[in-house]
Amino acid sequence: MKKLLLALLFIPTLFFAQDKFENKIYLDSLWHESTESNYKYYRIVADYDASTELYLIKDYYKSGVLQMEGHSKTKNNGSKEGEFTFYYENGQKKTVNNFLKSRKTGKEIQWHENGQKKSEGEYADSKKGFSNQFRMNQYWDVDGNHLIIDGTGLYENKGENFFDKGWYKNGMKDGEWTGQYNKDKTYTETYKKGELVSGVSKDKNGTAYHYTELESRPLPLRGINDFYKHIGKNFHITKEYESLNGKIFTTFIVDKDGQIVEPKTIKSLNETLDAEAIRVISSYERWIPAKQRGQYVRVLYSIPITLMGRK
């Protein structure tokens, strides 16, 4: 009898670049799959048709300037591994950091768009063990003023659609922080030694959302083990494929209402079994949606299903 091994990977990202069966993938301003007539970025995946452990991913601005390069275990950049380098559209280096199973880890260096060094810091596991905690070591403003020295000082960073302002002490956030994110959402948060004490965010209509954790992951109503059991019990394999071995990598989004939407195969094993994976995942009942700063958000999941055929 065919055995299934399941592993679920949570990918805490709010905007998703999706992949299709071609080498050049067009992406809109939110990194959603787009068309050649309406795109802001595009992605090139080296050795796209090959079966490999790591794919070289390069994203480009519409102008043709390199925006990012790094390696992923999946073709849609959904499982980052190793060093990634990001660039501004003027060609200046923006960020260099490292990933382990799509989570930032180790040292990170950032630069301003004018080439001036912006920050030096590092990521380590938080006490909760869920998201990585960032320790700020040094920070310079766009004019080169050294505002955070050896972990202590006032941080202020502004962009076209965001800003963040607050104090660092011994490398960790401390006291009141304020900011804007996702273009039209604002927040006020209180920290103590890097740990969030409380926060309140407001959406574009001014509705307030209170929270004590920055993010929460989506979860099946009956628990994650029930989701695994559902796939194992309902995944049907015809006799002609019972001896087949390999992995199917499938992604799906848990939307703001807790529904599974946009399931897609990103690493194929067999067209029939790929379709079965999508069918059985889509048939699962409602999830508890994820939250960011107290507000419901869409989140991308990746699930590899390993088939172990008869010998």
Side-chain angles (χ1 to χ4, degrees):
M1 182 177 178
K2 180 74 71 176
K3 296 180 179 180
L4 298 177
L5 298 179
L6 305 175
L8 191 63
L9 304 176
F10 171 67
I11 304 178
T13 179
L14 304 182
F15 306 111
F16 316 108
Q18 299 179 40
D19 159 358
K20 59 184 178 182
F21 294 103
E22 62 185 34
N23 187 45
K24 191 172 185 179
I25 304 157
Y26 296 100
L27 308 165
D28 65 18
S29 61
L30 298 180
W31 298 93
H32 293 160
E33 183 180 331
S34 185
T35 63
E36 188 174 0
S37 61
N38 183 29
Y39 74 100
K40 186 173 182 179
Y41 309 96
Y42 64 90
R43 171 167 297 156
I44 300 295
V45 183
D47 299 322
Y48 188 89
D49 294 325
S51 179
T52 180
E53 289 297 318
L54 289 174
Y55 294 93
L56 175 61
I57 309 289
K58 291 187 177 183
D59 289 345
Y60 294 85
Y61 294 97
K62 189 174 184 176
S63 62
V65 175
L66 183 65
Q67 188 270 342
M68 178 278 292
E69 59 183 338
H71 289 85
S72 172
K73 288 185 176 180
T74 58
K75 299 175 187 179
N76 74 334
N77 200 27
S79 184
K80 295 181 177 69
E81 289 289 333
E83 184 176 283
F84 273 68
T85 304
F86 297 81
Y87 300 88
Y88 293 103
E89 194 166 5
N90 66 3
Q92 291 283 359
K93 192 177 290 185
K94 184 177 183 180
T95 306
V96 174
N97 49 25
N98 291 273
F99 288 84
L100 177 64
K101 297 181 180 179
S102 278
R103 293 175 62 191
K104 292 180 180 179
T105 183
K107 294 182 179 180
E108 177 182 274
I109 302 176
Q110 293 188 335
W111 292 263
H112 291 285
E113 196 168 359
N114 64 1
Q116 167 69 44
K117 182 177 280 190
K118 182 177 181 179
S119 66
E120 296 177 358
E122 56 190 313
Y123 285 90
D125 286 340
S126 70
K127 293 180 180 179
K128 296 180 180 180
F130 171 57
S131 60
N132 287 10
Q133 190 174 61
F134 181 72
R135 177 181 292 273
M136 179 69 77
N137 296 326
Q138 313 293 335
Y139 178 75
W140 298 264
D141 68 15
V142 69
D143 296 318
N145 298 308
H146 200 174
L147 301 182
I148 297 177
I149 302 173
D150 298 331
T152 299
L154 178 64
Y155 178 89
E156 186 170 6
N157 189 27
K158 294 182 179 180
E160 183 178 354
N161 297 309
F162 74 92
F163 79 87
D164 298 285
K165 183 177 181 179
W167 282 91
Y168 275 99
K169 292 182 180 180
N170 299 317
M172 311 303 291
K173 290 182 176 182
D174 201 88
E176 184 175 279
W177 278 67
T178 58
Q180 176 185 343
Y181 65 105
N182 290 357
K183 296 184 178 181
D184 52 16
K185 297 178 181 179
T186 61
Y187 74 86
T188 300
E189 296 169 350
T190 301
Y191 287 85
K192 185 175 182 180
K193 295 181 179 180
E195 295 293 328
L196 176 67
V197 177
S198 63
V200 57
S201 67
K202 293 184 179 181
D203 61 22
K204 63 182 180 180
N205 298 317
T207 303
Y209 302 82
H210 295 268
Y211 53 94
T212 55
E213 58 180 355
L214 289 175
E215 295 179 332
S216 64
R217 69 179 72 192
L219 290 171
L221 285 174
R222 297 186 181 89
I224 196 64
N225 288 333
D226 186 71
F227 179 59
Y228 292 152
K229 290 178 181 178
H230 171 83
I231 296 174
K233 180 180 179 180
N234 295 283
F235 196 107
H236 301 305
I237 304 170
T238 59
K239 289 184 179 181
E240 61 183 312
Y241 299 125
E242 284 186 346
S243 61
L244 194 62
N245 292 281
K247 291 184 179 181
I248 304 168
F249 285 83
T250 302
T251 63
F252 59 91
I253 291 172
V254 180
D255 69 13
K256 295 179 182 180
D257 296 319
Q259 301 293 327
I260 291 177
V261 298
E262 301 178 31
K264 184 171 64 173
T265 302
I266 58 173
K267 193 170 185 180
S268 174
L269 177 63
N270 169 281
E271 185 175 340
T272 300
L273 296 177
D274 295 346
E276 178 61 12
I278 288 177
R279 183 200 67 80
V280 72
I281 288 171
S282 300
S283 68
Y284 193 76
E285 296 178 0
R286 185 173 175 176
W287 290 50
I288 301 170
K291 286 184 177 181
Q292 183 190 53
R293 287 191 163 110
Q295 301 184 43
Y296 290 120
V297 293
R298 290 158 51 96
V299 169
L300 178 70
Y301 263 93
S302 175
I303 179 169
I305 301 175
T306 302
L307 282 75
M308 300 177 64
R310 294 174 178 174
K311 296 182 179 180

